[in-house]
Amino acid sequence: MWRNSSTGFGRISRLLHWTMAALILALLVLGTALGWIKPNLSTLWLYGLHKTMGLTALSLAVIRLIWHRISPPPPPLGPAAHWQNRAARATHLTLYALMLAIPLSGWIASSATGLDLVIFGQITLPPIAPTSEALENAGFAVHGILTKLLMALLLAHITGGILRGLKGDATLRRITKGLESPSRL
Ligand code: HEM
Ligand code: HEM
């Protein structure tokens, strides 16, 4: 089953979820390392790698949102008004907003440095902001703050998912194996 059904996630959504989960967790680790090291000729490739992975994540987020329109995700298991389902929905919406805002703020800040933005070692992307030191500083500050918010939300998201899995709820199973057995909350 490639598409989502009314009770479970199909292959495309599961593939997108786990590819992006791995990519974003790796980006958070690599980005944090970039905050510690000094940019110089020997570390430049790490910046290039971070930008390549970050813009790949942005493209996948757009594809994922388009896929949502084509094949809507299943509603939560159990009553939608239950606090856990309300919290999960608010978290997912914010995660989507951050999956767009974080790479965009990185792209804006990188454009504001005035340096070429090269991904995959050869594709030069157009700047999306004018060269400006103030914008560069503001852009990277926003990028940093939003990534902290993402880390906090992911902690809640992952803990919530695992706890529901431990309770025997099918929420975790339907995003891993894609089983469709209806279950209680
Ligand atoms: C090991 C880590 C992770 C676990 C255990 C996990 C678990 C889950 C579970 C159980 C769901 C299904 C919720 C439902 O049935 O409605 C889900 C959905 C979702 N997850 Fe994760 N997740 C993980 C990592 C991530 C990461 C890193 C992100 C990236 C920001 C992410 C973003 C999302 C989003 C946006 C949804 C909503 C699904 C949709 O509507 O397309 N997850 N996750
Ligand atoms: C989902 C995508 C992304 C994630 C999760 C992410 C994550 C991070 C994190 C955690 C940091 C460290 C922030 C700090 O501690 O201040 C960082 C720094 C950085 N990011 Fe990203 N990033 C993403 C996309 C991008 C993109 C698309 C670009 C540029 C095109 C970019 C460029 C940078 C640069 C240049 C730094 C280093 C800033 C500095 O030296 O202060 N990032 N990123």
Side-chain angles (χ1 to χ4, degrees):
M1 269 255 299
W2 295 93
R3 297 174 69 96
N4 298 326
S5 70
S6 58
T7 50
F9 288 100
R11 282 203 187 102
I12 306 245
S13 286
R14 283 184 279 131
L15 186 68
L16 282 166
H17 177 271
W18 293 110
T19 310
M20 286 197 72
L23 192 59
I24 285 174
L25 292 175
L27 271 160
L28 288 173
V29 174
L30 179 55
T32 305
L34 290 186
W36 293 337
I37 60 173
K38 292 207 185 324
N40 57 42
L41 274 184
S42 61
T43 58
L44 218 55
W45 70 276
L46 286 173
Y47 287 81
L49 178 64
H50 182 79
K51 292 173 189 180
T52 300
M53 287 166 63
L55 288 161
T56 305
L58 175 63
S59 316
L60 288 175
V62 173
I63 291 174
R64 196 162 164 185
L65 287 169
I66 295 172
W67 181 245
H68 258 204
R69 309 289 299 179
I70 299 171
S71 180
L77 294 169
H82 190 284
W83 74 268
Q84 273 185 0
N85 282 334
R86 282 172 182 266
R89 186 174 153 71
T91 305
H92 295 162
L93 284 176
T94 318
L95 286 177
Y96 276 113
L98 290 174
M99 285 191 278
L100 298 175
I102 291 174
L104 279 175
S105 61
W107 192 354
I108 290 172
S110 294
S111 301
T113 63
L115 300 170
D116 272 353
L117 174 44
V118 183
I119 57 166
F120 295 107
Q122 47 191 352
I123 304 165
T124 306
L125 292 184
I128 56 167
T131 305
S132 145
E133 206 179 320
L135 192 58
E136 176 189 338
N137 292 336
F140 281 129
V142 169
H143 192 65
I145 292 166
L146 293 182
T147 58
K148 303 295 175 295
L149 178 60
L150 176 65
M151 288 179 199
L153 278 179
L154 282 180
L155 196 65
H157 174 71
I158 295 170
T159 313
I162 292 174
L163 284 180
R164 285 183 76 150
L166 290 175
K167 257 172 58 182
D169 181 293
T171 300
L172 187 57
R173 230 174 329 141
R174 70 178 189 170
I175 195 86
T176 50
K177 297 187 190 138
L179 298 182
E180 296 198 22
S181 55
S183 175
R184 42 188 187 85
L185 187 72

